[in-house]
Amino acid sequence: LAVNEAMCFHLPIIISDLTGCGRDLVKQGENGFIFKTGNIEELTNRLYKLINDSNLRQAMGNNSFKIIEAWDYDKDIDGMLKALEHIPGHDI
């Protein structure tokens, strides 16, 4: 949940491609970057880009918050109910 929490604090995100939440929370170039696990050069380049561009950091951080603020208990419940609708023999 560290990524979720960082997004709540308006921070840009840099994660590896093996981070489980990446597909759902990180939009490449919009609120952060996903780098290939083990690719130190790619990670270094992404860090360098954010360190040296305060406007980019701020924009990505704001985008992180916009993405995460839509995640709440009501959305979780709706998602679970929709998933259950696809199980044969379960009427909701």
Side-chain angles (χ1 to χ4, degrees):
L1 294 175
V3 172
N4 304 56
E5 291 178 17
M7 291 173 71
C8 287
F9 284 95
H10 297 250
L11 294 172
I13 307 300
I14 300 177
I15 59 171
S16 81
D17 59 345
L18 296 180
T19 304
C21 67
R23 189 174 345 167
D24 299 318
L25 294 178
V26 181
K27 311 301 181 215
Q28 185 77 346
E30 183 179 325
N31 74 314
F33 300 110
I34 300 173
F35 68 94
K36 176 122 177 86
T37 299
N39 188 335
I40 302 304
E41 184 177 344
E42 184 180 10
L43 172 59
T44 302
N45 290 337
R46 301 301 192 194
L47 287 167
Y48 184 82
K49 188 171 189 154
L50 285 175
I51 288 168
N52 290 297
D53 189 340
S54 62
N55 291 327
L56 181 63
R57 280 195 316 271
Q58 184 174 3
M60 285 187 162
N62 289 336
N63 289 336
S64 283
F65 185 75
K66 288 176 189 172
I67 292 167
I68 201 66
E69 73 179 339
W71 288 53
D72 60 22
Y73 288 116
D74 291 332
K75 297 261 188 214
D76 288 344
I77 292 167
D78 288 344
M80 287 182 212
L81 291 174
K82 285 179 184 171
L84 290 173
E85 288 174 0
H86 298 288
I87 298 174
H90 287 83
D91 292 326
I92 297 183

Coordinates of all heavy atoms in Angstrom, one line a residue:
L1 N 0.8 -1.2 0.0 CA 0.0 0.0 0.0 C 0.8 1.3 0.0 O 0.3 2.4 0.0 CB -0.9 0.0 1.2 CG -2.0 -1.1 1.2 CD1 -2.8 -1.1 2.5 CD2 -2.9 -0.9 0.0
A2 N 2.1 1.1 -0.1 CA 3.0 2.3 -0.1 C 2.7 3.2 -1.3 O 2.8 4.4 -1.2 CB 4.5 1.9 0.0
V3 N 2.5 2.6 -2.4 CA 2.2 3.3 -3.6 C 0.9 4.1 -3.4 O 0.9 5.3 -3.7 CB 2.1 2.4 -4.9 CG1 1.6 3.2 -6.1 CG2 3.5 1.8 -5.1
N4 N -0.1 3.5 -2.9 CA -1.4 4.2 -2.7 C -1.2 5.4 -1.8 O -1.7 6.5 -2.0 CB -2.4 3.2 -2.0 CG -2.7 2.0 -2.8 OD1 -1.7 1.2 -3.1 ND2 -3.9 1.7 -3.2
E5 N -0.4 5.2 -0.7 CA -0.2 6.2 0.3 C 0.6 7.4 -0.3 O 0.3 8.5 -0.1 CB 0.5 5.7 1.5 CG -0.4 4.8 2.3 CD 0.3 4.2 3.5 OE1 1.4 4.7 3.9 OE2 -0.2 3.2 4.1
A6 N 1.6 7.0 -1.1 CA 2.4 8.1 -1.8 C 1.5 8.9 -2.7 O 1.6 10.1 -2.8 CB 3.5 7.5 -2.6
M7 N 0.6 8.3 -3.4 CA -0.3 9.0 -4.3 C -1.2 9.9 -3.5 O -1.6 11.0 -4.0 CB -1.1 8.0 -5.1 CG -0.2 7.2 -6.1 SD -1.1 5.9 -7.0 CE -2.2 6.8 -8.1
C8 N -1.6 9.5 -2.3 CA -2.5 10.4 -1.5 C -1.7 11.6 -1.1 O -2.4 12.7 -0.8 CB -3.0 9.6 -0.3 SG -4.2 8.4 -0.6
F9 N -0.4 11.6 -1.1 CA 0.4 12.8 -0.8 C 0.9 13.5 -2.0 O 1.9 14.2 -1.9 CB 1.6 12.3 0.1 CG 1.2 12.1 1.5 CD1 0.9 10.8 1.9 CD2 1.1 13.1 2.5 CE1 0.5 10.5 3.2 CE2 0.7 12.8 3.8 CZ 0.4 11.5 4.2
H10 N 0.2 13.3 -3.1 CA 0.5 14.0 -4.4 C 1.9 13.8 -4.8 O 2.6 14.7 -5.3 CB 0.3 15.5 -4.2 CG -1.1 15.9 -3.9 ND1 -1.9 16.5 -4.8 CD2 -1.9 15.7 -2.8 CE1 -3.1 16.7 -4.3 NE2 -3.1 16.3 -3.1
L11 N 2.4 12.5 -4.8 CA 3.8 12.2 -5.2 C 3.8 11.5 -6.5 O 2.9 10.7 -6.8 CB 4.5 11.4 -4.1 CG 4.7 12.1 -2.8 CD1 5.2 11.1 -1.8 CD2 5.6 13.3 -3.0
P12 N 4.8 11.7 -7.4 CA 5.0 10.9 -8.6 C 5.5 9.5 -8.1 O 6.1 9.4 -7.1 CB 6.0 11.7 -9.4 CG 6.8 12.5 -8.4 CD 5.8 12.8 -7.3
I13 N 5.2 8.5 -9.0 CA 5.5 7.2 -8.6 C 6.5 6.6 -9.6 O 6.4 6.8 -10.8 CB 4.2 6.3 -8.7 CG1 3.1 6.9 -7.8 CG2 4.5 4.9 -8.3 CD1 3.4 7.1 -6.3
I14 N 7.5 5.9 -9.1 CA 8.4 5.1 -9.9 C 8.5 3.7 -9.3 O 8.8 3.5 -8.1 CB 9.9 5.7 -9.9 CG1 9.9 7.1 -10.4 CG2 10.8 4.8 -10.7 CD1 11.3 7.8 -10.4
I15 N 8.0 2.7 -10.1 CA 8.0 1.4 -9.6 C 8.5 0.4 -10.7 O 8.6 0.8 -11.9 CB 6.5 0.9 -9.3 CG1 5.6 1.1 -10.5 CG2 6.0 1.7 -8.1 CD1 4.2 0.5 -10.3
S16 N 8.9 -0.8 -10.3 CA 9.3 -1.8 -11.3 C 8.1 -2.4 -11.9 O 7.0 -2.4 -11.4 CB 10.2 -2.8 -10.6 OG 9.4 -3.8 -10.0
D17 N 8.4 -3.1 -13.0 CA 7.3 -3.8 -13.7 C 6.7 -5.0 -13.0 O 5.7 -5.6 -13.4 CB 7.7 -4.2 -15.1 CG 8.9 -5.1 -15.1 OD1 9.6 -5.2 -14.1 OD2 9.2 -5.7 -16.2
L18 N 7.4 -5.4 -11.9 CA 6.9 -6.5 -11.1 C 6.1 -6.0 -9.9 O 5.6 -6.9 -9.1 CB 8.1 -7.3 -10.6 CG 8.9 -8.1 -11.7 CD1 10.0 -8.9 -11.1 CD2 7.9 -8.9 -12.5
T19 N 5.9 -4.7 -9.7 CA 5.0 -4.2 -8.6 C 3.6 -4.5 -8.9 O 3.1 -4.1 -10.0 CB 5.3 -2.7 -8.4 OG1 6.7 -2.5 -8.2 CG2 4.5 -2.2 -7.2
G20 N 2.9 -5.2 -8.0 CA 1.5 -5.7 -8.3 C 0.5 -4.6 -8.7 O -0.3 -4.8 -9.5
C21 N 0.6 -3.5 -8.1 CA -0.4 -2.4 -8.3 C -0.1 -1.6 -9.5 O -0.9 -0.7 -9.9 CB -0.5 -1.5 -7.1 SG 0.9 -0.5 -6.8
G22 N 1.0 -1.8 -10.2 CA 1.4 -0.9 -11.3 C 0.4 -0.8 -12.4 O 0.1 0.3 -12.9
R23 N -0.2 -1.9 -12.8 CA -1.2 -1.9 -13.9 C -2.4 -1.0 -13.6 O -2.9 -0.4 -14.4 CB -1.6 -3.3 -14.2 CG -2.4 -3.5 -15.4 CD -2.6 -5.0 -15.7 NE -1.8 -5.8 -14.9 CZ -1.9 -7.1 -14.7 NH1 -2.9 -7.7 -15.3 NH2 -1.1 -7.8 -14.0
D24 N -2.8 -1.0 -12.3 CA -4.0 -0.3 -11.9 C -3.7 1.2 -11.5 O -4.6 2.0 -11.7 CB -4.6 -0.9 -10.7 CG -5.1 -2.4 -11.0 OD1 -5.6 -2.6 -12.1 OD2 -4.9 -3.2 -10.1
L25 N -2.5 1.5 -11.0 CA -2.3 2.8 -10.4 C -1.4 3.7 -11.1 O -1.4 4.9 -11.0 CB -1.8 2.7 -8.9 CG -2.8 2.1 -8.0 CD1 -2.2 1.9 -6.6 CD2 -4.1 2.9 -7.9
V26 N -0.4 3.2 -11.9 CA 0.6 4.0 -12.5 C 0.3 4.1 -14.0 O 0.3 3.1 -14.7 CB 2.0 3.5 -12.2 CG1 3.1 4.4 -12.8 CG2 2.2 3.4 -10.7
K27 N 0.1 5.3 -14.4 CA -0.1 5.6 -15.9 C 1.3 6.1 -16.4 O 1.7 7.2 -16.0 CB -1.2 6.6 -16.1 CG -2.5 6.3 -15.4 CD -3.1 4.9 -15.7 CE -4.4 4.7 -14.9 NZ -4.6 3.4 -14.5
Q28 N 2.0 5.3 -17.2 CA 3.3 5.7 -17.6 C 3.4 7.1 -18.2 O 2.6 7.4 -19.1 CB 3.7 4.6 -18.7 CG 5.2 4.8 -19.2 CD 6.2 4.3 -18.2 OE1 5.9 4.0 -17.0 NE2 7.4 4.1 -18.7
G29 N 4.2 7.9 -17.6 CA 4.4 9.3 -18.1 C 3.3 10.3 -17.6 O 3.5 11.5 -17.8
E30 N 2.3 9.8 -17.0 CA 1.2 10.6 -16.5 C 1.3 10.9 -15.0 O 1.3 12.1 -14.6 CB -0.1 10.0 -16.8 CG -1.3 10.8 -16.4 CD -2.6 10.1 -16.7 OE1 -2.7 9.4 -17.7 OE2 -3.6 10.3 -16.0
N31 N 1.5 9.9 -14.2 CA 1.7 10.1 -12.8 C 2.9 9.4 -12.3 O 3.2 9.4 -11.1 CB 0.4 9.6 -12.0 CG 0.3 8.1 -11.9 OD1 0.5 7.4 -12.9 ND2 0.0 7.6 -10.7
G32 N 3.7 8.9 -13.2 CA 4.9 8.3 -12.8 C 5.5 7.4 -13.9 O 5.1 7.6 -15.1
F33 N 6.4 6.5 -13.5 CA 7.1 5.7 -14.5 C 7.2 4.2 -13.9 O 7.3 4.0 -12.7 CB 8.6 6.2 -14.7 CG 8.6 7.6 -15.2 CD1 9.1 8.6 -14.4 CD2 8.3 7.8 -16.5 CE1 9.2 9.9 -14.9 CE2 8.4 9.1 -17.0 CZ 8.8 10.1 -16.2
I34 N 7.1 3.3 -14.9 CA 7.3 1.9 -14.6 C 8.6 1.5 -15.3 O 8.7 1.7 -16.5 CB 6.1 1.0 -15.0 CG1 4.9 1.5 -14.3 CG2 6.4 -0.4 -14.8 CD1 3.6 0.8 -14.8
F35 N 9.6 1.0 -14.6 CA 10.8 0.6 -15.2 C 11.0 -1.0 -15.2 O 10.4 -1.6 -14.3 CB 12.0 1.2 -14.6 CG 12.3 0.8 -13.2 CD1 13.2 -0.3 -12.9 CD2 11.7 1.4 -12.1 CE1 13.5 -0.7 -11.6 CE2 11.9 0.9 -10.8 CZ 12.8 -0.1 -10.6
K36 N 11.7 -1.5 -16.1 CA 11.9 -3.0 -16.2 C 12.8 -3.4 -15.0 O 13.9 -2.8 -14.8 CB 12.6 -3.4 -17.5 CG 12.9 -4.8 -17.6 CD 12.3 -5.4 -18.8 CE 12.7 -6.9 -19.0 NZ 11.9 -7.8 -18.2
T37 N 12.4 -4.4 -14.2 CA 13.1 -4.8 -13.1 C 14.5 -5.2 -13.5 O 14.8 -5.9 -14.5 CB 12.4 -6.1 -12.5 OG1 11.1 -5.7 -12.1 CG2 13.2 -6.7 -11.3
G38 N 15.5 -4.7 -12.7 CA 16.9 -4.9 -13.0 C 17.6 -4.0 -13.9 O 18.8 -4.0 -14.1
N39 N 16.8 -3.1 -14.6 CA 17.3 -2.1 -15.5 C 17.7 -0.9 -14.7 O 16.9 0.1 -14.7 CB 16.3 -1.8 -16.6 CG 16.9 -1.0 -17.7 OD1 17.8 -0.2 -17.5 ND2 16.3 -1.1 -18.9
I40 N 18.9 -0.9 -14.2 CA 19.4 0.2 -13.4 C 19.5 1.5 -14.2 O 19.2 2.6 -13.7 CB 20.7 -0.1 -12.7 CG1 20.6 -1.4 -11.9 CG2 21.2 1.0 -11.9 CD1 19.5 -1.4 -10.8
E41 N 19.9 1.4 -15.4 CA 20.0 2.6 -16.3 C 18.6 3.3 -16.5 O 18.5 4.5 -16.4 CB 20.6 2.2 -17.6 CG 20.8 3.5 -18.5 CD 21.5 3.1 -19.8 OE1 22.0 2.0 -20.0 OE2 21.4 3.9 -20.7
E42 N 17.6 2.5 -16.7 CA 16.2 3.1 -16.9 C 15.8 3.7 -15.6 O 15.2 4.8 -15.6 CB 15.3 2.0 -17.3 CG 13.9 2.5 -17.6 CD 12.9 1.4 -18.0 OE1 13.2 0.2 -17.9 OE2 11.8 1.8 -18.5
L43 N 16.0 3.0 -14.5 CA 15.6 3.6 -13.2 C 16.3 4.9 -12.9 O 15.7 5.9 -12.5 CB 15.9 2.6 -12.0 CG 15.7 3.1 -10.6 CD1 14.3 3.6 -10.4 CD2 16.1 2.0 -9.6
T44 N 17.6 4.9 -13.2 CA 18.4 6.1 -13.0 C 17.9 7.3 -13.8 O 17.8 8.4 -13.4 CB 19.9 5.8 -13.3 OG1 20.4 4.8 -12.5 CG2 20.8 7.1 -13.1
N45 N 17.6 7.0 -15.1 CA 17.1 8.0 -16.0 C 15.8 8.6 -15.5 O 15.5 9.8 -15.6 CB 16.9 7.5 -17.4 CG 18.3 7.2 -18.1 OD1 19.3 7.8 -17.7 ND2 18.3 6.3 -19.1
R46 N 14.9 7.7 -15.0 CA 13.6 8.2 -14.5 C 13.8 9.0 -13.3 O 13.1 10.1 -13.1 CB 12.7 7.0 -14.2 CG 12.4 6.1 -15.3 CD 11.7 6.8 -16.5 NE 11.2 5.8 -17.4 CZ 10.8 6.1 -18.6 NH1 10.9 7.3 -19.1 NH2 10.4 5.1 -19.5
L47 N 14.6 8.6 -12.4 CA 14.9 9.4 -11.2 C 15.5 10.7 -11.5 O 15.1 11.8 -11.0 CB 15.8 8.6 -10.2 CG 15.2 7.4 -9.5 CD1 16.3 6.6 -8.8 CD2 14.2 7.9 -8.4
Y48 N 16.5 10.7 -12.4 CA 17.1 12.0 -12.8 C 16.1 12.9 -13.4 O 16.1 14.1 -13.1 CB 18.2 11.6 -13.9 CG 19.0 12.8 -14.3 CD1 20.1 13.3 -13.5 CD2 18.7 13.5 -15.5 CE1 20.8 14.4 -13.9 CE2 19.5 14.6 -15.9 CZ 20.5 15.0 -15.1 OH 21.2 16.1 -15.5
K49 N 15.2 12.4 -14.2 CA 14.2 13.3 -14.9 C 13.3 13.9 -13.8 O 13.1 15.1 -13.9 CB 13.3 12.4 -15.8 CG 12.4 13.2 -16.7 CD 11.8 12.3 -17.7 CE 11.0 13.1 -18.7 NZ 10.8 12.5 -20.0
L50 N 12.9 13.2 -12.8 CA 12.0 13.8 -11.8 C 12.8 14.7 -10.8 O 12.3 15.8 -10.4 CB 11.3 12.7 -11.0 CG 10.2 12.0 -11.7 CD1 9.7 10.9 -10.8 CD2 9.1 13.0 -12.0
I51 N 14.0 14.4 -10.5 CA 14.8 15.2 -9.6 C 15.1 16.6 -10.3 O 15.1 17.6 -9.6 CB 16.2 14.5 -9.3 CG1 15.9 13.3 -8.4 CG2 17.2 15.5 -8.7 CD1 17.1 12.4 -8.2
N52 N 15.3 16.6 -11.6 CA 15.7 17.8 -12.2 C 14.5 18.6 -12.9 O 14.8 19.6 -13.5 CB 16.7 17.5 -13.3 CG 18.0 17.1 -12.7 OD1 18.6 17.9 -12.0 ND2 18.4 15.9 -12.9
D53 N 13.3 18.2 -12.7 CA 12.2 18.9 -13.3 C 11.0 19.0 -12.3 O 10.2 18.1 -12.1 CB 11.7 18.1 -14.5 CG 10.7 18.9 -15.3 OD1 10.0 19.8 -14.8 OD2 10.5 18.6 -16.5
S54 N 11.0 20.1 -11.5 CA 10.1 20.3 -10.4 C 8.6 20.4 -11.0 O 7.7 20.0 -10.4 CB 10.4 21.5 -9.6 OG 10.4 22.7 -10.4
N55 N 8.5 21.0 -12.2 CA 7.2 21.1 -12.8 C 6.6 19.7 -13.1 O 5.4 19.4 -12.9 CB 7.2 21.9 -14.1 CG 7.4 23.4 -13.8 OD1 7.0 23.9 -12.7 ND2 8.1 24.1 -14.7
L56 N 7.4 18.8 -13.6 CA 7.0 17.4 -13.9 C 6.7 16.7 -12.6 O 5.6 16.0 -12.6 CB 8.1 16.7 -14.7 CG 7.8 15.2 -15.0 CD1 6.7 15.2 -16.0 CD2 9.1 14.6 -15.6
R57 N 7.5 16.9 -11.6 CA 7.2 16.2 -10.3 C 5.8 16.7 -9.8 O 5.0 15.9 -9.4 CB 8.2 16.6 -9.2 CG 9.5 15.8 -9.3 CD 10.3 16.0 -8.0 NE 10.4 17.3 -7.5 CZ 11.4 18.2 -7.9 NH1 12.3 17.9 -8.8 NH2 11.4 19.4 -7.4
Q58 N 5.6 18.0 -9.9 CA 4.3 18.5 -9.4 C 3.1 18.0 -10.2 O 2.1 17.6 -9.7 CB 4.3 20.0 -9.4 CG 3.1 20.6 -8.8 CD 3.1 22.1 -8.6 OE1 4.1 22.8 -9.0 NE2 2.1 22.7 -8.0
A59 N 3.3 18.0 -11.5 CA 2.2 17.6 -12.4 C 1.9 16.1 -12.2 O 0.7 15.7 -12.1 CB 2.5 17.9 -13.9
M60 N 2.9 15.3 -12.1 CA 2.7 13.9 -11.9 C 2.1 13.6 -10.5 O 1.3 12.7 -10.4 CB 4.0 13.1 -12.1 CG 4.4 12.9 -13.5 SD 5.9 11.8 -13.6 CE 5.8 11.4 -15.4
G61 N 2.6 14.3 -9.5 CA 2.0 14.2 -8.2 C 0.6 14.5 -8.1 O -0.2 13.8 -7.5
N62 N 0.2 15.6 -8.8 CA -1.2 16.0 -8.9 C -2.1 14.9 -9.6 O -3.2 14.6 -9.2 CB -1.4 17.3 -9.5 CG -0.9 18.5 -8.6 OD1 -0.8 18.4 -7.4 ND2 -0.5 19.6 -9.3
N63 N -1.5 14.4 -10.7 CA -2.2 13.3 -11.4 C -2.3 12.0 -10.5 O -3.3 11.3 -10.6 CB -1.5 13.0 -12.7 CG -1.6 14.0 -13.7 OD1 -2.6 14.8 -13.7 ND2 -0.7 14.1 -14.6
S64 N -1.3 11.8 -9.7 CA -1.4 10.6 -8.8 C -2.6 10.8 -7.8 O -3.4 9.8 -7.6 CB -0.1 10.5 -7.9 OG 0.9 9.9 -8.6
F65 N -2.7 12.0 -7.3 CA -3.9 12.2 -6.4 C -5.2 12.1 -7.1 O -6.1 11.5 -6.6 CB -3.7 13.6 -5.7 CG -4.8 13.8 -4.7 CD1 -4.7 13.2 -3.4 CD2 -5.9 14.6 -4.9 CE1 -5.7 13.3 -2.5 CE2 -6.9 14.8 -4.0 CZ -6.8 14.2 -2.8
K66 N -5.3 12.6 -8.3 CA -6.5 12.5 -9.1 C -6.9 11.0 -9.3 O -8.1 10.7 -9.3 CB -6.4 13.2 -10.4 CG -6.4 14.7 -10.3 CD -6.2 15.4 -11.6 CE -6.0 16.9 -11.5 NZ -5.6 17.5 -12.7
I67 N -5.9 10.2 -9.6 CA -6.2 8.8 -9.8 C -6.6 8.1 -8.5 O -7.6 7.4 -8.5 CB -4.9 8.1 -10.4 CG1 -4.7 8.6 -11.8 CG2 -5.1 6.5 -10.3 CD1 -3.3 8.2 -12.3
I68 N -5.9 8.3 -7.4 CA -6.2 7.6 -6.2 C -7.4 8.1 -5.4 O -8.1 7.3 -4.7 CB -5.0 7.6 -5.2 CG1 -5.0 6.5 -4.2 CG2 -4.8 8.9 -4.5 CD1 -4.9 5.1 -4.8
E69 N -7.8 9.3 -5.7 CA -9.0 9.8 -4.9 C -10.3 9.2 -5.4 O -11.3 9.2 -4.7 CB -9.1 11.4 -5.1 CG -9.6 11.9 -6.4 CD -9.7 13.4 -6.4 OE1 -9.8 14.0 -5.3 OE2 -9.6 14.0 -7.5
A70 N -10.2 8.5 -6.6 CA -11.4 7.8 -7.1 C -11.5 6.4 -6.5 O -12.5 5.7 -6.6 CB -11.3 7.7 -8.6
W71 N -10.5 6.0 -5.7 CA -10.5 4.7 -5.1 C -11.1 4.8 -3.7 O -10.5 5.5 -2.8 CB -9.1 4.1 -5.0 CG -8.5 3.7 -6.3 CD1 -8.4 4.4 -7.4 CD2 -8.0 2.4 -6.6 NE1 -7.9 3.6 -8.4 CE2 -7.6 2.4 -8.0 CE3 -7.8 1.2 -5.9 CZ2 -7.0 1.3 -8.6 CZ3 -7.2 0.2 -6.5 CH2 -6.8 0.2 -7.8
D72 N -12.2 4.2 -3.5 CA -12.8 4.2 -2.1 C -13.6 2.9 -1.9 O -13.7 2.0 -2.7 CB -13.8 5.5 -2.0 CG -14.9 5.5 -3.0 OD1 -15.3 4.4 -3.6 OD2 -15.4 6.6 -3.3
Y73 N -14.2 2.8 -0.7 CA -14.9 1.6 -0.3 C -16.1 1.3 -1.2 O -16.4 0.2 -1.6 CB -15.4 1.7 1.1 CG -14.3 1.5 2.1 CD1 -13.9 2.6 3.0 CD2 -13.5 0.4 2.2 CE1 -12.9 2.5 3.8 CE2 -12.4 0.3 3.1 CZ -12.1 1.3 3.9 OH -11.1 1.2 4.8
D74 N -16.8 2.3 -1.7 CA -17.9 2.1 -2.6 C -17.5 1.5 -3.9 O -18.1 0.6 -4.4 CB -18.7 3.5 -2.8 CG -19.4 4.0 -1.6 OD1 -19.8 3.2 -0.7 OD2 -19.6 5.2 -1.5
K75 N -16.4 2.0 -4.4 CA -15.8 1.4 -5.7 C -15.4 -0.1 -5.4 O -15.6 -0.9 -6.3 CB -14.7 2.2 -6.2 CG -15.0 3.6 -6.5 CD -15.2 3.7 -8.0 CE -15.3 5.2 -8.3 NZ -16.2 5.5 -9.4
D76 N -14.8 -0.3 -4.2 CA -14.4 -1.7 -3.9 C -15.6 -2.6 -3.9 O -15.6 -3.7 -4.4 CB -13.7 -1.8 -2.6 CG -12.3 -1.1 -2.6 OD1 -11.8 -1.0 -3.7 OD2 -11.8 -0.9 -1.5
I77 N -16.7 -2.2 -3.2 CA -17.9 -3.0 -3.1 C -18.5 -3.2 -4.4 O -18.9 -4.4 -4.8 CB -18.9 -2.3 -2.1 CG1 -18.3 -2.4 -0.7 CG2 -20.2 -3.0 -2.2 CD1 -19.0 -1.5 0.3
D78 N -18.6 -2.2 -5.3 CA -19.1 -2.3 -6.6 C -18.3 -3.3 -7.4 O -18.9 -4.2 -8.1 CB -19.1 -1.0 -7.4 CG -20.2 0.0 -6.8 OD1 -21.1 -0.5 -6.1 OD2 -20.1 1.2 -7.1
G79 N -17.0 -3.3 -7.3 CA -16.2 -4.2 -8.0 C -16.4 -5.7 -7.6 O -16.4 -6.6 -8.4
M80 N -16.5 -5.8 -6.3 CA -16.7 -7.2 -5.8 C -18.1 -7.7 -6.2 O -18.2 -8.9 -6.6 CB -16.7 -7.2 -4.2 CG -15.3 -7.0 -3.7 SD -15.3 -7.1 -1.9 CE -13.9 -6.0 -1.6
L81 N -19.1 -6.9 -6.2 CA -20.4 -7.3 -6.6 C -20.4 -7.7 -8.1 O -21.0 -8.7 -8.5 CB -21.5 -6.3 -6.3 CG -21.8 -6.0 -4.8 CD1 -22.7 -4.8 -4.6 CD2 -22.4 -7.3 -4.2
K82 N -19.8 -6.9 -8.9 CA -19.7 -7.2 -10.3 C -19.0 -8.5 -10.6 O -19.3 -9.3 -11.4 CB -19.0 -6.1 -11.1 CG -19.9 -4.9 -11.2 CD -19.3 -3.7 -12.0 CE -20.2 -2.5 -12.0 NZ -19.6 -1.3 -12.5
A83 N -17.9 -8.8 -9.8 CA -17.2 -10.0 -9.9 C -18.0 -11.2 -9.6 O -18.0 -12.3 -10.2 CB -15.9 -10.0 -9.1
L84 N -18.8 -11.1 -8.5 CA -19.7 -12.1 -8.1 C -20.8 -12.4 -9.1 O -21.3 -13.6 -9.2 CB -20.3 -11.8 -6.7 CG -19.3 -11.8 -5.5 CD1 -20.0 -11.3 -4.3 CD2 -18.8 -13.2 -5.3
E85 N -21.2 -11.4 -9.8 CA -22.3 -11.6 -10.8 C -21.9 -12.6 -11.9 O -22.7 -13.3 -12.5 CB -22.6 -10.3 -11.5 CG -23.4 -9.3 -10.7 CD -23.5 -7.9 -11.3 OE1 -23.1 -7.8 -12.5 OE2 -24.2 -7.1 -10.7
H86 N -20.6 -12.8 -12.1 CA -20.1 -13.7 -13.1 C -19.9 -15.1 -12.6 O -19.4 -16.0 -13.3 CB -18.8 -13.2 -13.7 CG -19.0 -11.8 -14.4 ND1 -19.6 -11.7 -15.6 CD2 -18.7 -10.6 -14.0 CE1 -19.7 -10.4 -15.9 NE2 -19.1 -9.7 -15.0
I87 N -20.2 -15.4 -11.3 CA -20.1 -16.7 -10.8 C -21.4 -17.5 -11.0 O -22.5 -17.0 -10.5 CB -19.7 -16.7 -9.3 CG1 -18.4 -16.0 -9.1 CG2 -19.7 -18.1 -8.7 CD1 -17.9 -15.8 -7.7
P88 N -21.4 -18.6 -11.7 CA -22.7 -19.3 -11.9 C -23.4 -19.7 -10.6 O -22.7 -20.1 -9.7 CB -22.3 -20.5 -12.7 CG -21.0 -20.2 -13.3 CD -20.3 -19.2 -12.4
G89 N -24.7 -19.5 -10.6 CA -25.4 -19.9 -9.4 C -25.5 -18.9 -8.3 O -26.1 -19.2 -7.2
H90 N -24.9 -17.7 -8.5 CA -24.9 -16.7 -7.5 C -25.7 -15.5 -8.0 O -25.3 -14.8 -8.9 CB -23.5 -16.2 -7.1 CG -22.8 -17.3 -6.3 ND1 -22.1 -18.3 -6.8 CD2 -22.6 -17.4 -4.9 CE1 -21.6 -19.1 -5.9 NE2 -21.9 -18.5 -4.7
D91 N -26.9 -15.3 -7.4 CA -27.6 -14.1 -7.7 C -27.5 -13.0 -6.7 O -27.6 -13.3 -5.5 CB -29.1 -14.5 -7.8 CG -29.4 -15.5 -8.9 OD1 -28.8 -15.3 -10.0 OD2 -30.3 -16.3 -8.8
I92 N -27.2 -11.8 -7.2 CA -27.1 -10.7 -6.3 C -28.1 -9.6 -6.6 O -28.4 -9.3 -7.7 CB -25.6 -10.1 -6.4 CG1 -24.6 -11.2 -6.0 CG2 -25.5 -8.9 -5.6 CD1 -23.2 -10.8 -6.0

